[in-house]
Amino acid sequence: MWSPEDVARAAVRRQGEGLDQGQVASKVAEAARREQETREQLRTSAASLSGLDGLREDPERLAAVWTARHTEWRRVAALMEQEGWPVYAPEQDVKGSEWAQKRDTARDGALARQAAWQKERQDARDELQAHVWLPADASRRLRAIAARTGLTPEQILAQLAEHVRLTEDGALTAGPFTPQ
């Protein structure tokens, strides 16, 4: 769901809080080294990728994440130097905060869409679709009632089904009702 840049920005904001310029410089160097290592592993044959087999991460995505982390750590180091910050404070990082807000908004939207989709699926499981063959005279009466009420025959039958009750002796009964 998240791009390598999103993953990198979130990690840097989380890990960078309270780090001084020297510590951020160390993070830049580490990210550069890890970026180089993952890129080098991608250039080698598939057999040498066995070192990454234990990871659940795609080696190409892992390399992209480290490239993005390297870029983000460099951005933070430049920002700290430009602003003269002794330590990195994510809440003061305007661009980083904008990105985090967009990411949170996107996540909330995705969670809402997922919840709506799950509810739709649950509702669909609870629904019943039936094909009903009625004798000609019953069909004509149903169509006449539907025409008078402005509903479809299917809507009339659905409303009728809502009023059906099972009696103690197993018979089905529906009391008088007005289609709505």
Side-chain angles (χ1 to χ4, degrees), residues 82-141:
Q82 176 186 347
E83 298 293 327
W85 295 346
V87 295
Y88 178 65
E91 64 277 358
Q92 291 179 321
D93 181 354
V94 175
K95 187 176 254 185
S97 295
E98 285 174 8
W99 287 333
Q101 179 61 38
K102 285 180 183 176
R103 202 172 41 254
D104 290 346
T105 301
R107 184 194 66 232
D108 293 345
L111 290 173
R113 286 188 303 276
Q114 174 72 12
W117 179 76
Q118 286 177 334
K119 179 161 179 19
E120 245 180 59
R121 288 191 60 206
Q122 181 61 43
D123 290 348
R125 265 187 251 134
D126 292 343
E127 290 178 358
L128 170 67
Q129 289 188 356
H131 297 279
V132 180
W133 294 92
L134 298 173
D137 61 328
S139 179
R140 279 192 290 277
R141 280 188 307 225

